[in-house]
């Protein structure tokens, strides 16, 4: 117990330390804990029962033995996993490099689309044409044109490495989507913010850099993370040019064995890689929603 001195110098017990919850509050807390434990137990039993039912339905379905041998063969899974993981390192590097390039290029295109004044009309037109074209062009066609078509030109000084060409195609496509995300964020900032910055003596460039862009980027974090999740999965498409990533490593084993288990292994590896980023995106979105509800962000 902590003692405090009053104005006369006498020591009295600290009222904070002497607080004891009422019997009603203790009973309410016990009831809440019991209800939470009961809900957890019910959820666990329900999940277990559902899993058992699904398992029985699947293993007793017609054609399950053949399906198991073709798609869930343990021998080929053990053979494919090390090679798929080795190829996955290429996908991770593509994600890091292309992700950074996409964010920079997307930001530049978005800024070009939001420039004001008739002198910047050509930039606005080109930026709009870029986003419209690459958002409408299927990614797989873009990859085929760049990865397979560019080497056929035999241009001096132009690489024919399918990894670099595939990364270029991914960057071209995803920068168009990210540019629209950034542009939406920039246009969502109220014009009074820019006007206030200008009234404080900031130039248009300074107002954009120090006032508009920080607010725009903060508002668009969840959709940007969603685009990065999609980019993470689509890095597997560079395999069409022969780059040995996780997908191509699985494809080599499938072509030799005519068993499709390696595809399942590669798919599960991508799922395992994507889920953490997806959950992180959900957490960021929920956190920003709570902050907006509390007035924490504009």
């Amino acid at each position: 117990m902590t003692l405090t001195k009053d104005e006369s110098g006498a020591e009295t017990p600290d009222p904070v330390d002497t607080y004891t919850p009422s019997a009603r509050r203790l009973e309410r807390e016990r009831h809440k804990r019991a209800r939470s434990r009961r809900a957890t137990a019910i959820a666990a039993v329900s999940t277990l029962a559902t899993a058992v039912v699904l398992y029985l339905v699947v293993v007793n379905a017609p054609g399950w033995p053949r399906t198991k041998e073709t798609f869930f063969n343990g021998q080929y899974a053990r053979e494919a996993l090390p090679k798929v993981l080795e190829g996955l390192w290429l996908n991770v590097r593509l994600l890091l490099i292309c992700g950074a390039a996409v964010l920079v290029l997307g930001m530049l295109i978005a800024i070009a689309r939001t420039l004001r004044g008739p002198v910047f009309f050509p930039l606005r037109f080109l930026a709009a044409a870029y986003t419209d074209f690459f958002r409408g062009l299927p990614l797989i066609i873009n990859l085929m044109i760049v990865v397979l078509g560019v080497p056929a030109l035999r241009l001096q000084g132009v690489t024919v490495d399918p990894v670099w060409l595939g990364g270029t195609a991914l960057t071209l496509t995803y920068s168009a989507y990210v540019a629209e995300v950034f542009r939406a964020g920039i246009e969502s900032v109220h014009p009074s913010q820019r006007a206030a910055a200008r009234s404080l003596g900031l130039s248009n460039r300074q107002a954009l850099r120090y006032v508009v862009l920080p607010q725009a980027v903060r508002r668009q974090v969840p959709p940007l993370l969603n685009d990065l999740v999609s980019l993470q999965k689509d890095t597997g498409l560079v395999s069409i040019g022969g780059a040995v990533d996780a997908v191509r490593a699985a494809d080599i084993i499938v072509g030799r064995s005519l068993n499709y288990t390696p595809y399942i292994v590669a798919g599960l590896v991508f799922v395992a890689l994507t889920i953490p980023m997806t959950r992180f995106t959900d957490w960021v979105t929920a956190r920003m929603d709570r902050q907006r509800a509390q007035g924490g962000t504009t």
Side-chain angles (χ1 to χ4, degrees):
M1 179 182 297
T2 303
L3 299 178
T4 59
K5 292 183 179 181
D6 56 18
E7 295 179 357
S8 62
E11 292 183 343
T12 59
D14 191 339
V16 176
D17 291 343
T18 58
Y19 168 76
T20 55
S22 65
R24 186 174 181 179
R25 179 173 181 178
L26 291 175
E27 178 62 27
R28 185 164 59 246
E29 290 179 351
R30 282 194 296 269
H31 175 71
K32 290 174 63 176
R33 288 194 296 269
R35 187 173 60 182
S36 177
R37 288 193 297 268
R38 184 167 61 252
T40 301
I42 292 173
V45 172
S46 176
T47 302
L48 180 61
T50 303
V52 170
V53 171
L54 289 176
Y55 173 78
L56 294 175
V57 170
V58 170
V59 299
N60 292 303
W64 166 246
R66 183 59 179 171
T67 301
K68 179 181 178 181
E69 176 64 24
T70 304
F71 291 99
F72 303 100
N73 188 295
Q75 174 185 350
Y76 290 112
R78 289 189 294 270
E79 178 185 353
L81 183 58
K83 299 183 183 301
V84 168
L85 292 177
E86 182 180 352
L88 185 67
W89 174 233
L90 174 60
N91 298 103
V92 173
R93 284 182 292 170
L94 276 172
L95 171 64
L96 296 176
I97 296 174
C98 294
V102 162
L103 291 176
V104 173
L105 183 57
M107 176 64 77
L108 293 176
I109 296 171
I111 293 174
R113 290 204 65 180
T114 57
L115 290 175
R116 301 179 179 180
V119 70
F120 295 115
F121 173 78
L123 283 179
R124 292 197 301 269
F125 176 80
L126 291 175
Y130 178 93
T131 55
D132 290 344
F133 179 79
F134 282 105
R135 289 174 69 197
L137 183 69
L139 175 59
I140 189 67
I141 294 181
N142 187 14
L143 281 162
M144 289 180 176
I145 293 174
V146 177
V147 177
L148 304 179
V150 170
L153 297 176
R154 299 181 181 180
L155 299 176
Q156 185 176 1
V158 177
T159 181
V160 296
D161 188 340
V163 175
W164 285 101
L165 294 176
T168 301
L170 290 172
T171 301
L172 290 173
T173 295
Y174 271 91
S175 60
Y177 288 98
V178 170
E180 287 300 284
V181 173
F182 279 132
R183 185 173 71 92
I186 292 173
E187 293 182 348
S188 69
V189 178
H190 197 274
S192 62
Q193 298 287 317
R194 191 187 297 263
R198 295 285 290 140
S199 68
L200 293 175
L202 274 67
S203 63
N204 282 324
R205 180 182 302 177
Q206 291 172 328
L208 179 66
R209 178 181 176 184
Y210 296 110
V211 177
V212 177
L213 288 183
Q215 296 184 62
V217 172
R218 184 168 63 247
R219 295 177 180 182
Q220 300 303 106
V221 166
L224 287 174
L225 290 176
N226 282 326
D227 284 335
L228 290 180
V229 170
S230 299
L231 175 62
Q232 178 175 289
K233 295 181 295 183
D234 286 341
T235 55
L237 294 176
V238 299
S239 60
I240 66 172
V244 184
D245 67 330
V247 177
R248 182 59 178 166
D251 188 57
I252 292 173
I253 300 176
V254 170
R256 173 169 46 82
S257 64
L258 297 181
N259 186 282
Y260 298 95
T261 302
Y263 285 152
I264 302 297
V265 173
L268 292 177
V269 167
F270 273 101
V271 170
L273 187 64
T274 302
I275 285 177
M277 184 176 290
T278 304
R279 296 285 77 83
F280 177 70
T281 302
D282 294 340
W283 176 81
V284 170
T285 303
R287 180 172 179 270
M288 295 186 69
D289 289 342
R290 288 194 302 268
Q291 289 180 340
R292 290 193 189 98
Q294 298 169 1
T297 59
T298 56

